Amino acid sequence: MHRETALVEDSSAGVERTRALEQAVLRECLDIIARANQRGVWLTLVLAPFAAWRLAMHAPPRQFWWWAAAMAAIALFRAAVGRWYLRHPPDASRLHSWQPRFMLIAALVGLGWSALAWPLINMSGEVRLLVFCLLMAIAAIGLFSYHAMAEAFAAFLLPIVGSMLYAVISGDVAMAQEVAIMVPLFGTIMVVGSRLVSASVADVIR
């Protein structure tokens, strides 16, 4: 009887330790995302106006400057949320609620960048190709910002890949079929890579 009781207690203690460990891993991952949200603001505040300046040389400029202003607002909001989170760390009961919040912010950032590929933005096929190269670079940079949480990276990447694919299908793009195959393949490779990286980060934290 005492042995069975001891086994039950050991099992309960093991479950509690596992739960505490997983919460510690989640907290550290959220901390990494929050710090990346703060650091990423400077890159966006530099890169978005620079991209708007260069693209405005080849297409109607006003559309790009409005886009750059929207990206600056998103970046400042992202940084403010990350700063608030780090200054007011949530307790264990509210920790899991922050994961979807950071995913929503990541999706908002992805939507902002993806707007460059929308067919509504008037530009030539050559400029659109340049935008595609820019978005692929942004996707790669996003992997560094969201490497601790594959779900957040997927939320960031999917709008970019989706808008690129839609622009290819609906627009007059050379080798459209080949590009339409490569864009989802690129997104799949990036998401799988982010999953492997985030799993490695979790293992290191453990």
Side-chain angles (χ1 to χ4, degrees):
M1 184 67 177
H2 291 295
R3 184 178 179 181
E4 292 179 358
T5 303
L7 287 175
V8 171
E9 291 177 352
D10 289 343
S11 177
S12 299
V15 170
E16 289 299 323
R17 282 194 298 270
T18 300
R19 185 178 302 158
L21 178 60
E22 292 305 316
Q23 283 188 343
V25 170
L26 178 59
R27 184 178 295 278
E28 185 61 29
C29 290
L30 292 174
D31 288 352
I32 292 172
I33 295 292
R35 287 192 290 270
N37 281 353
Q38 287 190 288
R39 297 176 185 136
V41 64
W42 302 111
L43 180 62
T44 303
L45 291 179
V46 171
L47 189 55
F50 177 77
W53 171 58
R54 296 301 300 176
L55 292 171
M57 297 179 180
H58 308 284
R62 181 177 296 181
Q63 60 187 5
F64 295 114
W65 289 117
W66 277 112
W67 167 81
M71 286 304 301
I74 292 172
L76 292 172
F77 172 72
R78 175 188 176 196
V81 172
R83 183 180 179 86
W84 194 93
Y85 170 88
L86 292 172
R87 288 196 169 190
H88 306 85
D91 56 32
S93 64
R94 295 185 295 116
L95 191 62
H96 283 276
S97 66
W98 274 94
Q99 184 173 358
R101 295 176 188 177
F102 281 128
M103 289 175 62
L104 284 173
I105 293 174
L108 181 62
V109 176
L111 281 171
W113 285 108
S114 74
L116 279 179
W118 292 351
L120 294 176
I121 293 184
N122 183 27
M123 51 187 157
S124 65
E126 292 79 7
V127 178
R128 195 173 296 281
L129 179 61
L130 177 62
V131 167
F132 276 29
C133 294
L134 172 64
L135 291 180
M136 285 190 285
I138 292 298
I141 293 172
L143 184 57
F144 291 98
S145 297
Y146 300 110
H147 67 275
M149 189 179 296
E151 296 84 356
F153 178 72
F156 163 78
L157 182 66
L158 288 178
I160 295 177
V161 172
S163 65
M164 291 171 68
L165 185 59
Y166 181 71
V168 169
I169 294 173
S170 63
D172 183 16
V173 178
M175 300 180 69
Q177 291 183 348
E178 289 78 2
V179 176
I181 294 172
M182 294 304 297
V183 168
L185 180 62
F186 166 76
T188 301
I189 292 172
M190 293 295 290
V191 170
V192 171
S194 72
R195 172 65 68 179
L196 296 175
V197 172
S198 64
S200 298
V201 170
D203 289 340
V204 170
I205 296 172
R206 291 187 182 97

